Amino acid sequence: MFEHKTIDTADKTAFYAELAQQAGGLMTGETNLIANAANFAALMFNALPDVNWAGFYLYDGQELVVGPFQGKPACIRIALGRGVCGTAASMRETQLVEDVNAFDGHIACDAASASEIVVPLVRADGSLLGVWDVDSPTVARFDQADRAGMELACAAFMRANGG
Ligand code: SME
């Protein structure tokens, strides 16, 4: 059984370092992408305060398709360049959206979502695996420390999944 260790959320740098380490541990010895993505989403969703959705959109060679996640049922397919997820995927750059209502083209899946962060998942060979997406019901929930921390956790995910 995985024992979820409570981590101090006051210091975001330390919080995400610990979270990335826990994520790496959780995926050690497992090569199945869906299994690892499911456990990664569950770990993050339960550890991160003030979030209402956390999960993956995986690139199928044409568009993004929803993958393992925690939260309410979500939109299934997102074209590259569309919404926050499609923008992160096509620009290959983390999107930090303080207010989703102010983001032109934001795709609303859960009406409760007010802010969002999306990290692109790019393999070492430059190909796109998908994106990691976290929503919060609070405006401006994510800052630059969250961005660095999410990117750290996503790097651990990519390392564990042949990325
Ligand atoms: N808001 C996202 C869609 C995915 S949901 O947040 C789960 C977007 O605009 O791409």
Side-chain angles (χ1 to χ4, degrees):
M1 188 182 77
F2 177 75
E3 280 190 47
H4 175 75
K5 210 170 109 198
T6 306
I7 36 188
D8 179 14
T9 54
D11 176 350
K12 284 191 184 180
T13 305
F15 168 75
Y16 280 107
E18 173 78 31
L19 199 51
Q21 202 176 21
Q22 284 194 6
L26 197 52
M27 298 180 286
T28 300
E30 181 52 65
T31 57
N32 184 282
L33 175 69
I34 298 302
N36 283 337
N39 266 340
F40 184 89
L43 174 74
M44 299 290 276
F45 185 75
N46 285 288
L48 290 163
D50 197 24
V51 301
N52 60 308
W53 202 90
F56 293 86
Y57 276 88
L58 300 172
Y59 184 54
D60 71 354
Q62 281 200 303
E63 55 191 353
L64 297 170
V65 183
V66 76
F69 70 92
Q70 300 273 310
K72 289 189 179 165
C75 336
I76 299 172
R77 291 175 183 271
I78 299 175
L80 294 188
R82 293 229 27 238
V84 187
C85 291
T87 302
S90 60
M91 293 179 68
R92 310 227 169 171
E93 204 172 86
T94 298
Q95 301 296 305
L96 206 169
V97 180
E98 290 199 344
D99 179 358
V100 295
N101 294 314
F103 185 95
D104 197 21
H106 168 255
I107 301 164
C109 292
D110 182 345
S113 299
S115 62
E116 176 165 13
I117 184 165
V118 180
V119 180
L121 303 171
V122 181
R123 299 184 187 92
D125 67 3
S127 62
L128 182 70
L129 174 67
V131 300
W132 166 247
D133 178 13
V134 184
D135 289 14
S136 168
T138 303
V139 169
R141 156 68 179 81
F142 306 105
D143 60 15
Q144 292 302 330
D146 291 289
R147 177 203 200 106
M150 291 287 184
E151 288 176 349
L152 187 76
C154 287
F157 181 81
M158 292 306 287
R159 269 199 306 281
N161 292 281

